[in-house]
Amino acid sequence: LMAMLSHEIRSPLHGMMGLTDAMLQMPSSQPLQRQLGMVKGCSARLLDLVTNIMSVAQAEKMKVEKVDQRRPDTLVDFGAIVDEACTMIGNSIDKTNKPLLKP
């Protein structure tokens, strides 16, 4: 549940931050630049808050469950993870069914 909540909150925040950064690079009026800077700052603080809440919740969960924090016995295959992420991004579409990446 926590991982799903984390993803559902963080993903839109990252999107807002990226779009705000892109808009800040465009020529615009001084008041708009100031407002976009405020949006960027607020979204960064909100992301920090969500991250901190998730960290505290995870720490509390581990206290309750008394989980042993040993390293896993299996190694992580980073190449497979990157390949899977690239495949997922390559197959992603937006709300209008247009591909997110140009072929």
Side-chain angles (χ1 to χ4, degrees):
L1 178 64
M2 293 302 282
M4 183 181 73
L5 285 173
S6 172
H7 171 74
E8 293 299 325
I9 293 172
R10 289 181 188 179
S11 293
L13 280 172
H14 283 289
M16 288 173 50
M17 293 170 79
L19 288 171
T20 303
D21 281 339
M23 291 174 72
L24 281 167
Q25 301 301 318
M26 296 178 182
S28 60
S29 66
Q30 187 68 18
L32 182 60
Q33 288 286 320
R34 187 171 38 96
Q35 290 169 341
L36 288 170
M38 291 169 63
V39 170
K40 182 179 178 181
C42 290
S43 60
R45 286 191 295 280
L46 186 55
L47 183 62
D48 288 343
L49 176 65
V50 169
T51 300
N52 291 339
I53 290 171
M54 299 303 287
S55 296
V56 169
Q58 182 65 27
E60 290 298 318
K61 178 182 174 188
M62 293 179 83
K63 274 187 196 176
V64 170
E65 294 178 356
K66 296 187 181 187
V67 174
D68 186 12
Q69 288 189 334
R70 290 181 292 152
R71 288 186 174 183
D73 295 333
T74 57
L75 296 176
V76 175
D77 185 357
F78 288 107
I81 293 171
V82 169
D83 185 50
E84 183 178 345
C86 289
T87 301
M88 289 173 56
I89 291 169
N91 294 328
S92 296
I93 56 172
D94 65 12
K95 292 179 182 177
T96 61
N97 289 329
K98 293 181 183 174
L100 293 179
L101 297 177
K102 295 180 181 177

